[in-house]
């Protein structure tokens, strides 16, 4: 009896020790490994040429027909139980991402969306907030619930955008508002409660930030006055980096990625000149790339109202002292000087929670 055989697939003469029998054919081990695969659903072995599904779903034709379908938009194979359908397209299956993109409609805009600003409140200083929330999906129905709270009585206070840096969430963006308007007219506490009830988180994620824009015009009447004041803002952030790191609730690595330092120099003007010379784009602690605003990017996201208010109040106080002080006074100021002048109860409470106040710390509620 011969101890060899001819592989019916490749035609080579092979040792019987390497023979596999599959689908009524005698084939060599190499062809068996290269030309057949296992169905990921039922476990049966099939010819690779007969695979149904996509590169992420190796399926036999029977399992594909019974249990799977393809997304109408991107073509990705999905389990039939995971398919989504639009009300006006009941026969067209969509994967989660494509469904969200279709279903978002007027409620979730593309990241590039930027409407003409509407200013709320009476002040020379306005704050535009970008609050990222994640984990609850990019559902139009969720966005609509949040917008209905913030934009009650047909007032367009916020809009919502997609953000590719988030895993499964969206970005709440406000029109410019005075600090008083943010605290007394914008229903932030209700918005945050609704977002949390819909399954979103902001602090308890690896993705979310809280970004606060301040209009450049609030720093002075001329370009030179604005530049001088902004230089003191930047000097303050660089000088008290360790304190602001604790305040921000971010890690050093997170700040390095999303809100990097420029580096401190001997005075505000030198620090500012260094920042402009070593252009670092918008992923910096104080983003200087916008023509109408500067953007504080250091804060971790939050759905805790007092933390949110404290961040706004901190930015406002930094802007206040930067407008009031000279370069020399800013250079001589220490952290105790700064916090000893804080009067806002929300900011005082948060500083104590983070052990950044001159008095004893207090116990704090959980962030989420």
């Amino acid at each position: 009896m011969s101890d060899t055989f001819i592989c019916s697939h490749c035609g080579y003469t092979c040792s019987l020790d390497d023979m596999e029998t599959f689908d009524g054919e005698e084939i060599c081990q190499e062809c068996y490994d290269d030309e057949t695969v296992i169905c990921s659903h039922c476990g049966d072995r099939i010819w690779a040429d007969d695979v149904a599904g996509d590169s992420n779903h190796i399926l036999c034709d029977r399992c594909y027909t019974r249990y799977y379908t393809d997304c109408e938009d991107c073509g990705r194979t999905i389990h039939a139980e995971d398919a989504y359908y639009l009300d006006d397209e009941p026969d067209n299956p969509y994967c989660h991402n494509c469904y969200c993109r279709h279903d978002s409609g007027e409620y979730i805009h593309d990241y590039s969306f930027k409407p003409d600003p509407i200013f709320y409140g009476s002040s020379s200083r306005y704050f535009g907030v970008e609050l990222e929330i994640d984990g609850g999906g990019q559902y139009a129905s969720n966005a609509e619930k949040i917008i209905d709270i913030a934009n009650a009585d047909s007032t367009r206070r916020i809009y919502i955008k997609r953000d590719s840096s988030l895993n499964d969430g969206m970005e709440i963006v406000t029109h410019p508002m005075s600090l008083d308007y943010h605290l007394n007219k914008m229903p932030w506490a209700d918005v945050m409660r609704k977002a949390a009830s819909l399954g979103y988180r902001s602090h308890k994620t690896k993705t979310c930030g809280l970004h606060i824009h301040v209009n450049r015009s609030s720093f002075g009447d001329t370009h030179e006055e604005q530049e001088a004041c902004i230089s003191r803002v930047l000097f303050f952030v660089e000088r008290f980096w360790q304190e602001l790191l604790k305040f921000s609730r971010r890690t050093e690595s997170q700040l390095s990625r999303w809100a990097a330092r420029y580096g401190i120099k001997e005075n505000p003007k030198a620090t500012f000149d260094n920042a402009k010379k070593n252009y670092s784009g918008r992923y910096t602690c104080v983003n200087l790339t916008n023509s109408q605003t500067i953007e504080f990017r250091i804060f971790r996201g939050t759905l805790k109202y007092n933390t949110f208010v404290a961040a706004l109040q901190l930015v406002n106080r930094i802007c206040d002292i930067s407008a009031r002080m000279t370069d020399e006074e800013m250079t001589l100021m220490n952290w105790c000087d700064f916090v000893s002048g804080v009067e806002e109860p929300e900011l005082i409470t948060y500083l104590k929670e983070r052990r950044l106040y001159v008095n004893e710390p207090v116990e704090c509620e959980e962030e989420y």
Side-chain angles (χ1 to χ4, degrees):
M1 181 178 179
S2 173
D3 57 357
T4 62
F5 77 103
I6 298 175
C7 174
S8 62
H9 201 70
C10 67
Y12 283 99
T13 299
C14 307
S15 168
L16 285 176
D17 293 337
D18 291 333
M19 186 178 74
E20 296 283 352
T21 301
F22 176 70
D23 198 24
E25 298 186 31
E26 295 179 346
I27 59 177
C28 66
Q29 186 67 50
E30 184 174 353
C31 287
Y32 184 78
D33 293 338
D34 292 345
E35 306 297 336
T36 69
V37 292
I38 302 294
C39 172
S40 60
H41 188 89
C42 69
D44 287 351
R45 185 172 288 275
I46 56 175
W47 291 109
D49 289 343
D50 294 335
V51 167
D54 59 17
S55 58
N56 295 316
H57 297 81
I58 298 173
L59 301 166
C60 66
D61 187 67
R62 181 181 68 253
C63 289
Y64 173 79
T65 302
R66 290 182 179 180
Y67 304 111
Y68 290 82
T69 187
D70 292 336
C71 173
E72 186 73 16
D73 264 11
C74 68
R76 186 164 66 91
T77 297
I78 50 177
H79 198 286
E81 293 180 354
D82 296 329
Y84 293 81
Y85 296 86
L86 299 169
D87 291 340
D88 57 347
E89 298 181 44
D91 297 325
N92 292 336
Y94 292 96
C95 69
H96 176 262
N97 289 341
C98 292
Y99 171 79
C100 289
R101 186 166 57 250
H102 277 280
D103 189 47
S104 61
E106 62 182 294
Y107 295 107
I108 306 179
H109 301 279
D110 289 335
Y111 184 75
S112 59
F113 179 74
K114 191 173 183 179
D116 292 334
I118 304 170
F119 290 83
Y120 292 98
S122 178
S123 176
S124 62
R125 185 180 298 151
Y126 290 89
F127 301 87
V129 168
E130 299 168 359
L131 175 60
E132 296 169 344
I133 57 177
D134 210 346
Q138 293 184 10
Y139 298 110
S141 57
N142 287 352
E144 181 181 11
K145 291 181 176 72
I146 293 171
I147 289 172
D148 284 348
I149 293 172
N151 293 356
D153 56 45
S154 301
T155 302
R156 290 184 293 165
R157 297 182 179 95
I158 72 164
Y159 50 96
I160 290 178
K161 301 197 302 183
R162 299 181 185 89
D163 190 327
S164 60
S165 69
L166 304 176
N167 294 324
D168 196 20
M170 48 198 179
E171 182 178 61
I172 300 171
V173 185
T174 73
H175 284 277
M177 301 174 184
S178 67
L179 180 62
D180 179 71
Y181 196 97
H182 271 292
L183 301 184
N184 297 306
K185 297 290 183 63
M186 170 64 194
W188 275 115
D190 293 335
V191 166
M192 291 176 176
R193 277 193 293 270
K194 175 55 69 174
S197 73
L198 294 170
Y200 293 98
R201 295 294 180 263
S202 193
H203 173 86
K204 288 189 173 181
T205 70
K206 296 180 179 179
T207 54
C208 293
L210 165 63
H211 306 154
I212 300 174
H213 289 258
V214 182
N215 57 307
R216 285 178 177 263
S217 60
S218 68
F219 295 111
D221 294 329
T222 67
H223 178 73
E224 290 73 20
E225 289 175 347
Q226 293 172 16
E227 294 272 288
C229 190
I230 292 170
S231 73
R232 291 188 286 273
V233 169
L234 193 58
F235 183 80
F236 179 96
V237 172
E238 292 287 350
R239 179 168 186 184
F240 299 114
W241 184 260
Q242 290 305 315
E243 288 83 359
L244 293 178
L245 174 63
K246 289 184 68 176
F247 191 104
S248 74
R249 292 165 290 110
R250 288 190 184 271
T251 64
E252 282 277 15
S253 61
Q254 288 171 335
L255 285 178
S256 294
R257 180 177 181 184
W258 303 111
R261 302 183 69 172
Y262 293 101
I264 192 168
K265 298 299 180 181
E266 61 272 15
N267 57 55
K269 184 180 185 306
T271 300
F272 192 49
D273 289 343
N274 176 67
K276 291 190 292 185
K277 179 181 178 181
N278 298 298
Y279 176 78
S280 302
R282 67 189 183 93
Y283 294 115
T284 48
C285 52
V286 181
N287 172 20
L288 304 172
T289 64
N290 300 308
S291 62
Q292 301 300 315
T293 68
I294 65 169
E295 178 190 13
F296 291 77
R297 294 180 53 88
I298 59 176
F299 307 110
R300 189 169 182 163
T302 184
L303 291 177
K304 182 180 172 183
Y305 179 68
N306 191 85
T307 298
F308 172 80
V309 170
L312 279 175
Q313 292 172 339
L314 176 75
V315 170
N316 186 60
R317 179 152 170 74
I318 293 172
C319 294
D320 272 346
I321 65 168
S322 298
R324 187 175 68 248
M325 287 185 168
T326 65
D327 283 11
E328 183 180 7
E329 289 171 332
M330 180 67 79
T331 305
L332 294 174
M333 184 183 64
N334 60 43
W335 182 257
C336 287
D337 294 333
F338 174 73
V339 298
S340 63
V342 173
E343 297 178 349
E344 299 87 346
E346 296 88 355
L347 180 53
I348 290 174
T349 296
Y350 184 76
L351 288 169
K352 289 181 178 180
E353 290 175 352
R354 302 302 296 170
R355 291 170 170 75
L356 290 167
Y357 198 63
V358 291
N359 296 325
E360 290 298 316
V362 299
E363 294 298 320
C364 60
E365 297 178 1
E366 184 181 16
E367 293 280 357
Y368 57 98

